[in-house]
């Protein structure tokens, strides 16, 4: 079954507000990644957090990881219209020594000007 | 430094035809992954290849789908006798090595089966 599940499925906020998206997963992981997908486009890698890390920052992005609860959150501060996109978490699954990514259903974020 | 390239970007096929999707990994990358995204869903892993080898095809449908990554040229995902349910976006990603390396995604090929 799907590894990561994002919550909420859709989020609509005003420009300037903060957006928080959550991801839950079911099995042990080595790392968790967040991706952004603009409508009809490919995925852009945002941030990778390892299982031994609790928090990571990149610009206006803050990611937390709680392995005891098997959950992660992505916070976008001071949102902009250009942040409108779908956001996916992806956990790692291993086979033959190679990492494949297991994606959640995504959160559709809309930033209203 | 060109990113991952996929072509065509859009492909329309009638039921029963064959679809060929191409992926050129980033320069210096020899590991390719194919993912499929159905409408309103996340991406699902299909297959992982290195040059001339299929390493993990656990996500590939058992019939009609095949993938290759020859010594020269792009990786090809081939779908024979397409059906309407094959309509989806197919994404290719590449990485520098196996293991915990970032996967860089291409823009995808949107396949529509009519």
């Amino acid at each position: 079954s799907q590894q990561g599940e994002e919550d909420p499925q859709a989020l609509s906020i005003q420009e300037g507000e903060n957006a928080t998206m959550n991801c839950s997963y079911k099995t042990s992981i080595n790392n968790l990644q967040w991706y952004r997908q603009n409508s009809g486009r490919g995925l852009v890698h945002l941030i990778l957090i390892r299982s031994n890390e609790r928090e990571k920052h990149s610009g206006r992005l803050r990611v937390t990881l709680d392995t005891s609860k098997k959950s992660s959150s992505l916070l976008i501060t001071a949102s902009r219209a250009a942040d409108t996109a779908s956001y996916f978490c992806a956990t790692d699954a291993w086979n033959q020594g190679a990492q494949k990514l297991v994606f959640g259903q995504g959160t559709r974020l809309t930033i209203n000007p | 430094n060109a990113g991952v390239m996929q072509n065509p970007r859009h492909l329309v096929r009638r039921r029963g035809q064959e679809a060929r999707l191409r992926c050129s990994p980033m320069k210096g990358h020899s590991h390719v992954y194919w993912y499929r995204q159905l409408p309103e869903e996340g991406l699902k892993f299909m297959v992982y290849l290195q040059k001339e080898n299929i390493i993990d095809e656990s996500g590939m449908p058992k019939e009609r789908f095949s993938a290759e990554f020859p010594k020269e040229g792009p990786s090809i995902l081939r779908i024979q006798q397409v059906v309407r349910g094959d309509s989806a976006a197919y994404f290719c990603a590449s990485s520098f090595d196996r293991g915990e390396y970032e996967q860089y995604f291409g823009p995808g090929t949107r396949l529509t089966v009519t």
Side-chain angles (χ1 to χ4, degrees):
Chain A
S1 62
Q2 196 78 9
Q3 172 77 309
E5 297 291 338
E6 281 94 342
D7 167 53
Q9 290 190 351
L11 179 62
S12 181
I13 61 174
Q14 294 300 121
E15 196 167 15
E17 293 181 337
N18 296 340
T20 300
M21 289 157 273
N22 303 296
C23 168
S24 60
Y25 57 92
K26 295 176 182 171
T27 61
S28 297
I29 61 170
N30 295 306
N31 64 72
L32 184 146
Q33 304 182 54
W34 285 90
Y35 285 82
R36 184 185 74 226
Q37 184 181 35
N38 290 87
S39 180
R41 309 283 278 277
L43 274 73
V44 174
H45 184 265
L46 296 177
I47 201 162
L48 179 152
I49 186 164
R50 292 190 165 79
S51 59
N52 62 352
E53 298 175 310
R54 292 294 168 260
E55 190 170 307
K56 208 160 181 181
H57 297 254
S58 177
R60 294 184 296 114
L61 306 181
R62 181 171 78 100
V63 167
T64 62
L65 179 64
D66 187 334
T67 53
S68 66
K69 294 181 180 177
K70 291 187 168 58
S71 68
S72 174
S73 68
L74 170 66
L75 168 67
I76 304 174
T77 60
S79 64
R80 305 168 182 169
D83 294 329
T84 294
S86 290
Y87 291 81
F88 295 91
C89 70
T91 52
D92 60 323
W94 293 82
N95 190 9
Q96 305 286 344
Q99 172 185 234
K100 64 184 180 186
L101 299 177
V102 181
F103 287 84
Q105 303 273 51
T107 293
R108 287 188 306 281
L109 175 65
T110 303
I111 308 299
N112 302 303
Chain B
N1 184 16
V4 178
M5 301 179 70
Q6 291 187 251
N7 68 80
R9 294 291 307 277
H10 300 273
L11 183 61
V12 180
R13 284 287 177 266
R14 292 199 192 94
R15 278 179 299 169
Q17 291 184 320
E18 178 180 288
R20 279 185 177 238
L21 289 63
R22 294 175 184 75
C23 168
S24 297
M26 281 184 70
K27 188 175 180 180
H29 288 189
S30 59
H31 299 254
V32 166
Y33 311 77
W34 285 93
Y35 293 84
R36 177 166 64 176
Q37 184 179 33
L38 295 172
E40 306 300 321
E41 291 191 13
L43 279 70
K44 286 189 168 61
F45 169 81
M46 299 181 75
V47 62
Y48 160 53
L49 311 101
Q50 291 180 35
K51 285 281 185 180
E52 299 184 278
N53 285 304
I54 297 174
I55 306 302
D56 179 1
E57 56 182 345
S58 57
M60 287 277 272
K62 295 285 185 266
E63 297 175 351
R64 303 188 296 108
F65 285 72
S66 62
E68 63 176 13
F69 190 13
K71 189 176 179 180
E72 301 291 337
S75 174
I76 306 285
L77 178 67
R78 184 177 172 212
I79 312 172
Q80 294 178 292
Q81 298 175 312
V82 295
V83 301
R84 289 234 172 93
D86 296 333
S87 295
Y90 292 82
F91 290 94
C92 166
S94 73
S95 67
F96 174 72
D97 199 349
R98 64 167 66 192
E100 199 177 88
Y101 287 88
E102 181 179 336
Q103 293 182 21
Y104 294 83
F105 281 80
T109 293
R110 275 152 188 81
L111 172 65
T112 302
V113 179
T114 61

